Amino acid sequence: MTTDMLAPSLDLTALRAQFPILSREINGHPLVFLDSAASSQRPLRVLDRMDRYYREQHANVHRGAHQLSVEATEAFEGARRIIASHLGANEPAEIVFTRGTTEAINLVASSWGSKFVGAGDEIVITKMEHHSNFVPWQLLAERTGATIRFVDVTPDGLLDLDDLDRLLLGRPKIVAFMHVSNSLGTINPVAEIVRRAQAAGALTLVDGAQAAPHLKIDVAELGCDFYAISGHKMCGPTGAGALWARRELLEQMPPYQGGGEMISEVTMAGSTWAAVPHKFEAGTPNIAGVVGFGEAVRFLTDVGFDAIAAHEAEITAYALERLTNVDGLTLYGPRENKTSVFSFSYLDIHPHDLSTILDQRGIAIRAGNHCNQPLMDHFGINATARASFYLYNSREEVDMLVDGLAMAAKVFCHIS
Ligand code: PLP
């Protein structure tokens, strides 16, 4: 692939200049940030928007009749409109703000689960899931006596849809699965899985944490019932994310937490709930975080998801070509239909050692199980090294990673 394939609207030099942190040096080298799957970096306009919010607009939302509270509420609810439109929701009320994907899934498992899941019911998840789409269901199963079944993963790192069909014979209440794998980059066939699950009478929850940063999401097209995202993986601040669900579904669900903001009326005899989505947003929310999250989605939309996809496709193809030619490197996951994340083992260097030595050259990769212990068990490994590329990464950074690997081989294995 050549740089001709770059979508015309993505000017990498200008784009990188919008991310102040990318001009940092680490250990005397320019930062090569290849850990965006864990958390991306933020452009100036997101930082500026949050700064302006705190300097000029801060007050608590929803409760006040004074000017600042009105402005803060407008900024907060404006972000809800941006995220609703980004996900293709029918209306902003279908967006519940959470701390992130983890909290969104906990909300569903706790609220929807407490009402609709009981002893003997089945819940289907997959062996590919991040712990945040594992543990909330385990907690629900412990509380209710439900059983969890796990869709198998093929040696290529794809979901085994025949195994899904087999598990659907058990008529599960819900099928909860990731859109994109954080370790393997696999892009799962969401619409197809949803179609099969719904034919078996199950609801579907999609963990979109690794999809929303890269792909334009349309929940109507996907057909799912719940979709969860994290702002900090898509150029937004930490501590702000969202759950999307259809209004009827949210209305059937009991509150997740109690407190201010989520009530209609409180008496000593009992309380009634605010309308959705506020019923699920107890307490003072992360207002600045949500405002920054909205700005991040506007930023990505302005860059253009087509341009982002074209750029990442080029980087992915180039990284695949370079990494598959590194002797002693084992790459996990599919080669096609994947995002720009690469998990690998290299010679017999422990991933943590590899990460440490690359860091000496300013190259930030992640090492560990990536909150995917069951997937690691499935592949018979404890950990991988993971390099994840995002819209601001370049082909040169792929080269620097490969050069860094050669240096690590020299240091650890005396290979020259
Ligand atoms: N799901 C996937 C696939 C992830 O990669 C992550 C984070 O790495 C999460 C869920 C959890 O996201 P958060 O920590 O933002 O809640």
Side-chain angles (χ1 to χ4, degrees):
M1 295 225 181
T2 70
T3 42
D4 298 344
M5 291 192 66
L6 276 184
S9 53
L10 203 157
D11 172 346
L12 198 54
T13 308
L15 185 97
R16 285 179 65 87
Q18 296 178 52
F19 289 81
I21 205 168
L22 296 182
S23 56
R24 255 203 78 172
E25 291 203 340
I26 301 280
N27 294 322
H29 295 271
L31 168 65
V32 176
F33 188 72
L34 305 182
D35 195 19
S36 295
S39 196
S40 68
Q41 300 298 349
R42 286 116 203 87
L44 261 178
R45 64 185 262 190
V46 169
L47 304 176
D48 287 347
R49 182 65 192 92
M50 292 172 69
D51 184 70
R52 182 161 75 82
Y53 168 75
Y54 273 130
R55 284 176 192 270
E56 298 176 14
Q57 297 180 306
H58 175 69
N60 213 332
V61 287
H62 301 137
R63 311 173 186 172
H66 60 80
Q67 174 72 20
L68 274 187
S69 179
V70 170
E71 284 185 26
T73 304
E74 175 45 32
F76 185 77
E77 292 301 327
R80 201 188 304 274
R81 289 194 293 276
I82 293 167
I83 286 148
S85 141
H86 172 61
L87 294 179
N90 284 321
E91 49 172 327
E94 292 183 340
I95 301 297
V96 177
F97 285 122
T98 62
R99 285 190 294 125
T101 303
T102 303
E103 191 178 38
I105 297 172
N106 274 281
L107 192 164
V108 176
S110 176
S111 163
W112 175 85
S114 68
K115 182 152 173 194
F116 293 102
V117 176
D121 284 340
E122 296 199 0
I123 296 163
V124 168
I125 61 175
T126 86
K127 292 183 185 170
M128 199 185 270
E129 296 316 303
H130 188 277
H131 296 163
S132 61
N133 201 21
F134 241 99
V135 184
W137 303 111
Q138 289 176 325
L139 292 171
L140 176 66
E142 265 171 34
R143 276 200 307 275
T144 58
T147 304
I148 306 180
R149 309 263 181 228
F150 305 92
V151 179
D152 217 342
V153 174
T154 69
D156 292 342
L158 306 179
L159 289 181
D160 181 341
L161 296 193
D162 292 337
D163 196 41
L164 169 70
D165 286 341
R166 189 179 63 75
L167 296 179
L168 289 175
L169 296 175
R171 310 283 301 175
K173 284 288 178 82
I174 193 163
V175 178
F177 63 100
M178 61 199 341
H179 192 158
V180 168
S181 161
N182 56 305
S183 282
L184 308 175
T186 315
I187 302 177
N188 288 319
V190 174
E192 177 59 22
I193 295 172
V194 167
R195 193 186 62 71
R196 295 186 194 197
Q198 286 177 349
L203 291 193
T204 47
L205 176 142
V206 180
D207 169 350
Q210 296 291 344
H214 305 282
L215 312 170
K216 174 77 186 81
I217 306 298
D218 183 341
V219 287
E221 225 170 74
L222 297 176
C224 56
D225 298 293
F226 299 104
Y227 199 93
I229 61 176
S230 293
H232 70 98
K233 293 189 196 285
M234 38 198 309
C235 299
T238 53
L243 171 71
W244 166 84
R246 274 175 292 107
R247 176 190 271 277
E248 314 84 79
L249 200 47
L250 290 173
E251 281 175 350
Q252 290 166 27
M253 291 162 50
Y256 166 54
Q257 294 175 332
E261 302 257 354
M262 54 72 71
I263 44 82
S264 167
E265 203 179 315
V266 178
T267 67
M268 291 208 273
S271 304
T272 53
W273 317 133
V276 296
H278 306 293
K279 177 171 80 170
F280 297 106
E281 294 177 356
T284 301
N286 178 5
I287 309 168
V290 162
V291 170
F293 182 16
E295 188 64 22
V297 170
R298 284 183 52 202
F299 164 77
L300 291 175
T301 308
D302 288 350
V303 174
F305 278 90
D306 287 346
I308 294 171
H311 175 65
E312 290 181 3
E314 197 221 351
I315 294 289
T316 303
Y318 185 59
L320 261 177
E321 180 195 317
R322 296 275 349 242
L323 291 173
T324 45
N325 283 314
V326 173
D327 282 342
L329 188 143
T330 306
L331 214 44
Y332 299 95
R335 306 292 150 112
E336 288 171 359
N337 204 22
K338 73 186 295 299
T339 58
S340 43
V341 54
F342 298 89
S343 267
F344 54 91
S345 312
Y346 183 45
L347 300 166
D348 55 359
I349 307 174
H350 193 282
H352 284 128
D353 293 336
L354 193 55
S355 173
T356 304
I357 192 120
L358 289 174
D359 187 54
Q360 288 171 13
R361 285 205 167 183
I363 303 169
I365 65 160
R366 186 145 290 248
N369 62 43
H370 318 297
C371 296
N372 276 146
Q373 263 178 308
L375 183 68
M376 297 290 138
D377 290 347
H378 179 72
F379 283 118
I381 51 182
N382 291 324
T384 68
R386 184 185 72 181
S388 52
F389 298 83
Y390 200 18
L391 76 166
Y392 37 64
N393 290 118
S394 66
R395 289 164 67 98
E396 291 70 32
E397 289 178 311
V398 175
D399 293 335
M400 289 186 216
L401 171 65
V402 172
D403 291 349
L405 293 173
M407 178 194 63
K410 270 190 205 156
V411 172
F412 286 103
C413 310
H414 311 291
I415 296 174
S416 54

